[in-house]
Amino acid sequence: DRVNWSAPVIMHPQEPQILYFGTYRVWKSKNAGNTWSAVSGDLTNGDDGSSYHTLSTLAISTLEPNIVLAGSDDGRVHISTNGGSIWNDISNSLPERWITRVATDPFDVNTIYVTLSGFRWDEPIVHVYKSTNLGQTWQPAGNGLPEVPVNVIVADPGEQGRLFVGTDGGVF
């Protein structure tokens, strides 16, 4: 499989023997990594011989662990609401940039976040997006951040609405 240099792996929040791993597709283990099964097809824009077209980030909801997100280095975001059996592309209206992080909200099961980096395209525009309907629509959420690539977003599990964003210029 095509694998990102920093391939994503996540653990189920209540059942630690369930793991997900990303290549250009999502793999799932139900026995702590002893065996793996592909639970998706290619979730990227396909293989054109470049070093891209791999999954760069995965996330699982702590509120509803059947909700799994996958983001790719070629601008695709997919969601599964049934633990990986069916995947839907929710990249609509997002810029075609490297998906640096997908994240779920610890208070609202329908809220998800995406950060993107335009570094590869020499584009310093801030790319932080929020969806309150599991990716059916997206709203920009990076107001006030410096114009540098965004690498990560984390929702504070102790304070609703508080987000931490890591960029090439610092943490906000």
Side-chain angles (χ1 to χ4, degrees), residues 14-172:
Q14 284 98 30
E15 299 178 44
Q17 72 277 9
I18 298 176
L19 306 168
Y20 294 88
F21 178 74
T23 60
Y24 65 86
R25 53 187 166 177
V26 177
W27 292 83
K28 184 176 184 179
S29 174
K30 295 180 181 179
N31 56 14
N34 289 316
T35 59
W36 294 87
S37 299
V39 293
S40 79
D42 191 343
L43 298 182
T44 73
N45 284 328
D47 187 9
D48 63 4
S50 73
S51 60
Y52 303 109
H53 310 296
T54 61
L55 296 181
S56 51
T57 179
L58 294 171
I60 188 169
S61 173
T62 56
L63 298 175
E64 175 48 66
N66 282 324
I67 296 175
V68 182
L69 298 168
S72 71
D73 61 15
D74 57 10
R76 306 278 302 274
V77 178
H78 285 80
I79 188 169
S80 174
T81 57
N82 54 15
S85 296
I86 298 172
W87 293 86
N88 294 304
D89 188 341
I90 55 171
S91 306
N92 55 358
S93 74
L94 291 173
E96 192 174 318
R97 297 291 179 259
W98 189 295
I99 307 297
T100 54
R101 192 64 49 138
V102 290
T104 62
D105 190 272
F107 295 96
D108 181 4
V109 71
N110 294 309
T111 298
I112 57 177
Y113 304 93
V114 173
T115 61
L116 303 90
S117 173
F119 183 79
R120 190 169 90 199
W121 296 268
D122 196 25
E123 178 189 85
I125 298 170
V126 173
H127 292 296
V128 178
Y129 290 87
K130 175 182 179 179
S131 174
T132 56
N133 54 18
L134 292 177
Q136 293 178 37
T137 58
W138 294 97
Q139 302 85 37
N143 292 341
L145 293 172
E147 292 199 1
V148 295
V150 180
N151 302 308
V152 66
I153 187 167
V154 176
D156 186 341
E159 185 176 332
Q160 188 169 4
R162 184 175 179 174
L163 302 171
F164 295 94
V165 177
T167 72
D168 281 4
V171 178
F172 300 88

